[in-house]
Amino acid sequence: MRPYALVQLRQDDTSASMYNLVGFQTNLKFGEQKRVFSSLPGLEKAEFIKYGVMHRNTYINSTEVLDETFNLKANKNIFFAGQITGVEGYVESIASGMVVALNAIRRYKCLENENLKIQKCSFPETTMIGALAKYISTPNKKFQPMNANFGILPPLEEKIRDKKIKYQKLADRALQDLKCNMI
Ligand SMILES: Cc1cc2nc3c(=O)[nH]c(=O)nc-3n(C[C@H](O)[C@H](O)[C@H](O)COP(=O)(O)OP(=O)(O)OC[C@H]3O[C@@H](n4cnc5c(N)ncnc54)[C@H](O)[C@@H]3O)c2cc1C
């Protein structure tokens, strides 16, 4: 038989007794999942501990409650990071965590020493991290989770049709702004 699809099994516990079927988000009824997945070669004798469900992102209304450093406006000692803020994806979540870490340490230093005045660390809007931070902290009645994409960056002054050139220019501008503002 010619294989035409792959199923990735990811180890779920240290004793290697449980495996997760990666990316199996489905609306299939549990009984149907057992029937279909048991028909996969190698899974005939598998015991199913948990069935697949469609994933749902749970996130706070960041546009109202957070600033561009993922800091809670109502309590400066509280930060949120990751997809709970409305960013979506691995890299995006890590990026928000980095912004939070940089700012939490600043906040801590200021609390330790009241005479210290340290500015918040926010990234320029022209960088992807800055654009995501702006997106989650700007009022928006239709707020939905957002991943990194060129569409959230402020447009270039010149109109460029060729996407490859346009994206390169957006990246160059981001690096330039980072150099000017943060180093
Ligand atoms: C099926 C699926 C496939 C995906 N594929 C991709 C992909 O290919 N590429 C990509 O970039 N992104 C992908 N994503 C999105 C990505 O997984 C998330 O955006 C990212 O993992 C979010 O990271 P996070 O640290 O914010 O949250 P999470 O990774 O969800 O971490 C939150 C942690 O908090 C813990 N927790 C929750 N409540 C409590 C509590 N009360 N007390 C203590 N701990 C608690 C949870 O157990 C969890 O460990 C996928 C998501 C799903 C569901």
Side-chain angles (χ1 to χ4, degrees), residues 25 55 82-83 88-90 93:
Q25 300 179 57
H55 101 272
Q83 69 180 4
E88 191 168 51
Y90 301 142
S93 298

mmCIF file of all heavy atoms in Angstrom, residues 25 55 82-83 88-90 93, ligand 1:
data_model
loop_
_atom_site.group_PDB
_atom_site.id
_atom_site.type_symbol
_atom_site.label_atom_id
_atom_site.label_comp_id
_atom_site.label_asym_id
_atom_site.label_seq_id
_atom_site.Cartn_x
_atom_site.Cartn_y
_atom_site.Cartn_z
ATOM 1 N N GLN A 25 -7.290 18.183 15.753
ATOM 2 C CA GLN A 25 -8.454 18.948 16.197
ATOM 3 C C GLN A 25 -9.608 18.505 15.318
ATOM 4 O O GLN A 25 -9.502 18.537 14.099
ATOM 5 C CB GLN A 25 -8.227 20.428 15.981
ATOM 6 C CG GLN A 25 -7.047 20.969 16.731
ATOM 7 C CD GLN A 25 -6.873 22.438 16.451
ATOM 8 O OE1 GLN A 25 -7.765 23.234 16.660
ATOM 9 N NE2 GLN A 25 -5.715 22.790 15.948
ATOM 10 N N HIS A 55 -9.972 23.302 19.045
ATOM 11 C CA HIS A 55 -9.408 24.161 20.083
ATOM 12 C C HIS A 55 -10.019 25.559 20.042
ATOM 13 O O HIS A 55 -10.456 26.035 19.008
ATOM 14 C CB HIS A 55 -7.881 24.159 20.026
ATOM 15 C CG HIS A 55 -7.252 25.322 19.367
ATOM 16 N ND1 HIS A 55 -7.017 25.371 18.021
ATOM 17 C CD2 HIS A 55 -6.815 26.486 19.871
ATOM 18 C CE1 HIS A 55 -6.446 26.510 17.740
ATOM 19 N NE2 HIS A 55 -6.318 27.208 18.825
ATOM 20 N N GLY A 82 1.749 35.732 26.517
ATOM 21 C CA GLY A 82 1.298 34.566 25.779
ATOM 22 C C GLY A 82 -0.072 34.755 25.169
ATOM 23 O O GLY A 82 -0.610 35.863 25.107
ATOM 24 N N GLN A 83 -0.649 33.630 24.753
ATOM 25 C CA GLN A 83 -1.873 33.718 23.960
ATOM 26 C C GLN A 83 -3.075 34.232 24.758
ATOM 27 O O GLN A 83 -4.063 34.640 24.171
ATOM 28 C CB GLN A 83 -2.182 32.393 23.295
ATOM 29 C CG GLN A 83 -2.597 31.304 24.224
ATOM 30 C CD GLN A 83 -2.890 29.995 23.489
ATOM 31 O OE1 GLN A 83 -2.702 29.892 22.275
ATOM 32 N NE2 GLN A 83 -3.352 29.008 24.208
ATOM 33 N N GLU A 88 -1.145 35.058 19.001
ATOM 34 C CA GLU A 88 -1.377 33.650 18.668
ATOM 35 C C GLU A 88 -0.120 33.064 18.049
ATOM 36 O O GLU A 88 0.456 33.678 17.151
ATOM 37 C CB GLU A 88 -2.542 33.549 17.687
ATOM 38 C CG GLU A 88 -3.018 32.136 17.502
ATOM 39 C CD GLU A 88 -4.348 32.078 16.773
ATOM 40 O OE1 GLU A 88 -4.456 32.701 15.698
ATOM 41 O OE2 GLU A 88 -5.273 31.435 17.267
ATOM 42 N N GLY A 89 0.287 31.901 18.527
ATOM 43 C CA GLY A 89 1.446 31.224 17.953
ATOM 44 C C GLY A 89 2.590 31.116 18.945
ATOM 45 O O GLY A 89 2.624 31.818 19.953
ATOM 46 N N TYR A 90 3.514 30.212 18.620
ATOM 47 C CA TYR A 90 4.651 29.972 19.516
ATOM 48 C C TYR A 90 5.533 31.212 19.627
ATOM 49 O O TYR A 90 5.827 31.686 20.717
ATOM 50 C CB TYR A 90 5.506 28.811 18.983
ATOM 51 C CG TYR A 90 4.786 27.489 18.820
ATOM 52 C CD1 TYR A 90 5.073 26.657 17.745
ATOM 53 C CD2 TYR A 90 3.843 27.072 19.749
ATOM 54 C CE1 TYR A 90 4.434 25.438 17.603
ATOM 55 C CE2 TYR A 90 3.198 25.856 19.614
ATOM 56 C CZ TYR A 90 3.499 25.041 18.530
ATOM 57 O OH TYR A 90 2.865 23.835 18.389
ATOM 58 N N SER A 93 3.925 34.221 21.241
ATOM 59 C CA SER A 93 3.769 34.085 22.694
ATOM 60 C C SER A 93 5.109 34.305 23.391
ATOM 61 O O SER A 93 5.192 34.975 24.423
ATOM 62 C CB SER A 93 3.221 32.699 23.041
ATOM 63 O OG SER A 93 1.949 32.544 22.458
HETATM 64 C C1 LIG B 1 -3.562 21.947 18.123
HETATM 65 C C2 LIG B 1 -2.758 23.204 18.111
HETATM 66 C C3 LIG B 1 -1.774 23.365 17.163
HETATM 67 C C4 LIG B 1 -0.995 24.531 17.144
HETATM 68 N N1 LIG B 1 -0.018 24.645 16.205
HETATM 69 C C5 LIG B 1 0.757 25.737 16.196
HETATM 70 C C6 LIG B 1 1.821 25.845 15.258
HETATM 71 O O1 LIG B 1 2.065 24.963 14.446
HETATM 72 N N2 LIG B 1 2.582 26.970 15.283
HETATM 73 C C7 LIG B 1 2.370 27.965 16.197
HETATM 74 O O2 LIG B 1 3.115 28.961 16.188
HETATM 75 N N3 LIG B 1 1.372 27.885 17.104
HETATM 76 C C8 LIG B 1 0.558 26.803 17.121
HETATM 77 N N4 LIG B 1 -0.457 26.704 18.026
HETATM 78 C C9 LIG B 1 -0.668 27.821 18.952
HETATM 79 C C10 LIG B 1 0.359 27.737 20.079
HETATM 80 O O3 LIG B 1 0.328 26.452 20.625
HETATM 81 C C11 LIG B 1 0.015 28.737 21.175
HETATM 82 O O4 LIG B 1 -0.194 30.023 20.611
HETATM 83 C C12 LIG B 1 1.162 28.838 22.193
HETATM 84 O O5 LIG B 1 1.522 27.562 22.651
HETATM 85 C C13 LIG B 1 0.713 29.688 23.356
HETATM 86 O O6 LIG B 1 1.720 29.675 24.336
HETATM 87 P P1 LIG B 1 1.369 30.128 25.797
HETATM 88 O O7 LIG B 1 2.611 29.905 26.598
HETATM 89 O O8 LIG B 1 0.785 31.486 25.767
HETATM 90 O O9 LIG B 1 0.184 29.177 26.273
HETATM 91 P P2 LIG B 1 0.185 27.618 26.511
HETATM 92 O O10 LIG B 1 1.224 26.935 25.684
HETATM 93 O O11 LIG B 1 -1.249 27.203 26.383
HETATM 94 O O12 LIG B 1 0.665 27.505 28.028
HETATM 95 C C14 LIG B 1 -0.198 27.830 29.091
HETATM 96 C C15 LIG B 1 0.206 26.939 30.248
HETATM 97 O O13 LIG B 1 -0.492 27.363 31.411
HETATM 98 C C16 LIG B 1 -0.960 26.223 32.098
HETATM 99 N N5 LIG B 1 -2.100 26.648 32.926
HETATM 100 C C17 LIG B 1 -3.349 26.951 32.528
HETATM 101 N N6 LIG B 1 -4.099 27.288 33.573
HETATM 102 C C18 LIG B 1 -3.309 27.220 34.653
HETATM 103 C C19 LIG B 1 -3.512 27.457 36.033
HETATM 104 N N7 LIG B 1 -4.677 27.853 36.513
HETATM 105 N N8 LIG B 1 -2.468 27.280 36.860
HETATM 106 C C20 LIG B 1 -1.258 26.905 36.398
HETATM 107 N N9 LIG B 1 -1.004 26.655 35.099
HETATM 108 C C21 LIG B 1 -2.025 26.809 34.252
HETATM 109 C C22 LIG B 1 -1.323 25.245 31.004
HETATM 110 O O14 LIG B 1 -1.352 23.934 31.480
HETATM 111 C C23 LIG B 1 -0.190 25.474 30.009
HETATM 112 O O15 LIG B 1 0.933 24.675 30.295
HETATM 113 C C24 LIG B 1 -1.243 25.561 18.081
HETATM 114 C C25 LIG B 1 -2.239 25.403 19.042
HETATM 115 C C26 LIG B 1 -3.001 24.241 19.051
HETATM 116 C C27 LIG B 1 -4.072 24.079 20.110
#
